[in-house]
Amino acid sequence: MDEVLKSSEESKYKWIFDLIDESHKFIMLKNFEGEIIYINSVLLRLLGFNHDDIGENYDFFFKNFFLNDAKKIDENIYDITLNSRYGFTLRFKMVDNFLDSDDGSRICIISTLNFVRSEFNSVHDINAYLDLLYIRFKIIDMVDTGIILIDKRKHIEYLNKAACNFISADYKKIFHKDVEGLLKSLDESIEFDEIISKQLMVYNVKNSGHFLSIEVADTYDDKFLCLILKDVTEKLRIGEIIEKSEKFNLMGALAASLIHEIKNSITSIRGFLQLMQIKEKGDPAYFDTIINESDRIIDLAMSYLGVVRNSQNENETDLNELIEKYMVLIEAEAKQRQIEIVKKLNEVPMVKMDNNQLKQILLNIFQNSFQAIGIGGKIYLTTRFNSYKNKVIIRIADNGCGIDRENLKKVMMPLFTTKKDGTGLGLPICKNILSKYGGDLRILSKKGVGTIVNIYLELRR
C-alpha cells in the first residue's frame, strides 16, 4: 500500500521535478511535514552527486549526509551549511515558500538556496565552478587507485569509485562513517593506528584472495588525512614467480655443474670396473650388471641435463617398443610394491625424440603414481594416435589418493612439492622436455579418486 501511495505521489510531483531540474537556481521541494521530496540537479551536482546516487529517499540523504548545520533566522528563512562530496562545506541562506497551483491551492513547499558570501556573480560563474570540480573529481574517479579522505574524527569525508569497489560498498552507505569500522569490515587484522604509524601496510583481505596495500598520503592540510588503497595481488605474485624463477635458474646452473662431475666420476668407476673384469675370473654377469647400472646412472644424469641443454640424440622411434623396453624396470618396482600395471598399447606412428629423455619422463610420472597409491592399486598405461591433432598420446592413470584442487594448480610450478623428500622439479622437467618437441603434459586429478597424466607428442613433418 505504501509503495502505491509513493508511486502516486511521485507522479503527482513529476512535472514539478522536471521543471526545477531545468532551473539554474539551487532548489529543494518539501512536503507539508517538512520532509525533502526532491533536490534539483544543479544543487546535487554542486554537492558532487546525481539522482542515481541518492536513490529515492531524498529526506534521509539530506539529513544524514548533506546537512551539516542549520539555524532559523526568520519564520521561513534559515542559515544552513551543507557537506560536499569533495570534503568541504558550503553555506546558504534557504528561503521556504509555498508552491501554489493555478486554482490557488498549495502543492508543496519550495526552498530556494543562495550562497552566503558568494564569490559567484552569475550563473556562468557557478557553472564554470561546477565544471572545474566535475573534471577534477571525474579524473580521480577514473584511476584504479582507491582514495579515502578522513577528517580529525576519523570520519570519511570523501572516497572515489575505486575505494568503493575495494570495500564493496555504496558511497552513500559509508559517507561520514568511521574509517576504523570500514577497515575492520575488510579484515579484522587491519589496525588504523598501525597504518598511521608505519605509513604503509599490506593486508590479505579475508575471503577474497586479494592483497591490499594501504598507504598514508600527505594532504598538506592538518584537517584531513588521506589513505591510498591499491590491489597488489598481481604484483606480489609476479615477485614470487620471479623469485622462484631465479631459484630455478640457479638450480639449473648448479645441476649442470653437478651432473658433469657425477658423469666424470661414474665414467672413471666404469673404466676401473672394466679393468677388474679383465683381471678377475669370477662371474662376468656381476661386472656386466654393475657396468650397465653405471651406464644407466650416466644416462639418467644426462637426461636431467636436458633441462639446461638441447638434446642432439633424436631418432625415429617405435614408441610402443621403447615403452616395453623401459617398462621392464618399472614393472619390477611395481611388483615389489604389489601394484598392478595394465597396458594397452595401440598402433601409433613413429616419433622423433631422444630416447633417454622419454625414458626420464616415464620414470618421473610412474614414480609419482607409485607414491600416490598403496598396496593393491592399479596403474593403466595406454598409447593412441589422435589424427585430428596430429599427436601421439601416452596416458598414465592411477587410482591413488589424487591431488586436491589448490595443489593441482601448482604442480607444474618449479620447486613446489607436497612430498617430504621431494624437490618439486620432476614434473617441470618433464614439461620442459616435451615443450622442446612441441609436446605437452596435462594432469587431471580428483582428491580420493585418482590421477590421469596425458603426455602429448607432436609428430613433426
Side-chain angles (χ1 to χ4, degrees):
M1 186 66 180
D2 289 341
E3 292 181 1
V4 174
L5 289 173
K6 191 173 185 180
S7 177
S8 173
E9 189 179 65
E10 286 177 356
S11 60
K12 172 184 173 182
Y13 294 122
K14 180 71 167 63
W15 67 275
I16 308 175
F17 296 167
D18 293 339
L19 185 64
I20 67 171
D21 267 337
E22 295 297 322
S23 174
H24 294 295
K25 294 183 177 180
F26 304 128
I27 299 172
M28 298 190 301
L29 296 178
K30 304 175 186 175
N31 61 21
F32 297 123
E33 285 76 39
E35 296 175 338
I36 309 294
I37 57 175
Y38 198 72
I39 302 173
N40 75 335
S41 298
V42 68
L43 179 54
L44 283 180
R45 189 179 175 208
L46 176 69
L47 299 174
F49 293 86
N50 57 51
H51 292 294
D52 290 336
D53 293 324
I54 306 302
E56 298 175 347
N57 199 333
Y58 287 87
D59 188 67
F60 174 83
F61 209 89
F62 179 82
K63 291 174 181 175
N64 289 276
F65 293 93
F66 289 155
L67 187 60
N68 184 282
D69 189 28
K71 296 177 183 177
K72 191 171 183 178
I73 299 174
D74 205 342
E75 185 63 31
N76 65 328
I77 301 174
Y78 300 85
D79 188 328
I80 67 170
T81 306
L82 300 182
N83 295 309
S84 164
R85 181 175 186 174
Y86 309 122
F88 51 82
T89 58
L90 298 166
R91 189 179 169 198
F92 300 90
K93 183 175 79 171
M94 182 176 72
V95 180
D96 287 353
N97 289 296
F98 289 110
L99 186 65
D100 299 331
S101 64
D102 294 337
D103 61 6
S105 61
R106 292 175 174 177
I107 302 172
C108 62
I109 298 170
I110 182 166
S111 300
T112 305
L113 287 74
N114 295 296
F115 282 113
V116 175
R117 295 194 299 273
S118 173
E119 297 178 0
F120 304 125
N121 298 315
S122 66
V123 171
H124 177 269
D125 291 338
I126 294 172
N127 283 329
Y129 169 75
L130 293 175
D131 288 338
L132 181 63
L133 280 179
Y134 178 78
I135 291 169
R136 288 180 177 177
F137 282 90
K138 187 68 175 176
I139 292 171
I140 295 173
D141 269 340
M142 288 171 63
V143 300
D144 58 3
T145 298
I147 299 172
I148 302 178
L149 199 64
I150 307 159
D151 66 15
K152 287 186 174 181
R153 298 174 300 168
K154 300 181 183 178
H155 289 172
I156 296 168
E157 284 295 327
Y158 171 78
L159 68 169
N160 67 346
K161 285 185 178 178
C164 291
N165 292 335
F166 281 135
I167 58 183
S168 302
D170 293 334
Y171 186 95
K172 57 180 174 287
K173 292 182 179 178
I174 52 179
F175 182 62
H176 277 186
K177 300 295 184 189
D178 183 79
V179 71
E180 289 189 284
L182 176 68
L183 295 175
K184 288 289 186 184
S185 70
L186 296 177
D187 195 285
E188 288 293 332
S189 65
I190 299 179
E191 295 291 343
F192 181 77
D193 292 338
E194 183 181 34
I195 295 168
I196 300 305
S197 64
K198 295 186 177 179
Q199 299 291 296
L200 175 63
M201 293 294 297
V202 177
Y203 297 97
N204 186 0
V205 180
K206 64 181 179 182
N207 302 324
S208 71
H210 286 267
F211 290 87
L212 187 68
S213 73
I214 305 177
E215 183 178 0
V216 179
D218 196 345
T219 61
Y220 302 100
D221 187 340
D222 293 338
K223 295 179 182 177
F224 298 105
L225 182 70
C226 185
L227 296 182
I228 305 296
L229 281 64
K230 295 179 183 177
D231 187 335
V232 293
T233 309
E234 287 304 314
K235 187 176 180 180
L236 291 177
R237 285 177 180 167
I238 290 170
E240 184 181 355
I241 290 170
I242 291 172
E243 183 182 351
K244 287 188 175 181
S245 177
E246 290 174 350
K247 286 181 181 178
F248 189 56
N249 289 336
L250 176 61
M251 291 189 69
L254 290 173
S257 175
L258 181 61
I259 288 165
H260 180 73
E261 294 303 319
I262 291 173
K263 176 179 174 292
N264 288 343
S265 297
I266 297 297
T267 301
S268 298
I269 293 170
R270 186 180 186 281
F272 280 110
L273 283 169
Q274 287 177 318
L275 289 174
M276 289 175 64
Q277 188 177 22
I278 294 170
K279 293 180 179 180
E280 295 290 334
K281 295 182 180 180
D283 192 340
Y286 292 138
F287 286 101
D288 289 338
T289 300
I290 297 171
I291 290 170
N292 287 338
E293 286 303 306
S294 299
D295 289 338
R296 180 173 174 269
I297 293 171
I298 293 172
D299 288 345
L300 187 64
M302 297 307 290
S303 295
Y304 272 109
L305 195 57
V307 178
V308 290
R309 67 167 178 81
N310 292 322
S311 172
Q312 303 295 324
N313 186 27
E314 298 178 7
N315 301 306
E316 287 283 347
T317 302
D318 184 323
L319 185 65
N320 289 340
E321 184 179 314
L322 191 66
I323 288 173
E324 288 283 18
K325 176 183 176 182
Y326 294 147
M327 285 305 293
V328 173
L329 179 64
I330 293 169
E331 286 175 329
E333 186 171 350
K335 187 175 182 181
Q336 184 180 2
R337 293 173 176 265
Q338 299 181 42
I339 294 171
E340 180 184 358
I341 296 179
V342 180
K343 292 182 295 185
K344 187 179 181 181
L345 307 180
N346 299 297
E347 187 175 346
V348 296
M350 301 281 280
V351 296
K352 192 173 185 180
M353 186 174 180
D354 183 276
N355 292 358
N356 286 327
Q357 290 188 336
L358 180 60
K359 175 183 176 182
Q360 188 56 42
I361 291 170
L362 293 173
L363 287 172
N364 263 318
I365 294 171
F366 269 100
Q367 280 300 321
N368 287 343
S369 291
F370 287 155
Q371 292 167 14
I373 57 182
I375 295 174
K378 286 187 178 182
I379 300 175
Y380 299 86
L381 170 64
T382 60
T383 58
R384 65 184 179 90
F385 175 58
N386 186 321
S387 57
Y388 177 73
K389 293 184 177 180
N390 196 41
K391 293 181 184 291
V392 173
I393 303 170
I394 305 171
R395 171 172 288 187
I396 300 170
D398 66 60
N399 59 355
C401 61
I403 308 169
D404 63 43
R405 187 177 298 179
E406 283 303 310
N407 286 337
L408 189 59
K409 297 175 185 176
K410 305 173 186 176
V411 290
M412 291 297 180
M413 291 173 58
L415 308 179
F416 173 78
T417 180
T418 57
K419 302 171 187 174
K420 184 178 179 181
D421 300 321
T423 62
L425 293 174
L427 289 175
I429 285 172
C430 294
K431 192 172 179 69
N432 181 278
I433 291 170
L434 288 167
S435 66
K436 294 176 184 178
Y437 297 95
D440 200 2
L441 186 71
R442 301 283 177 85
I443 300 176
L444 304 171
S445 187
K446 186 173 182 180
K447 188 73 175 175
V449 176
T451 301
I452 298 173
V453 180
N454 288 324
I455 302 166
Y456 296 91
L457 300 172
E458 189 175 62
L459 297 183
R460 289 182 286 178
R461 301 186 185 283

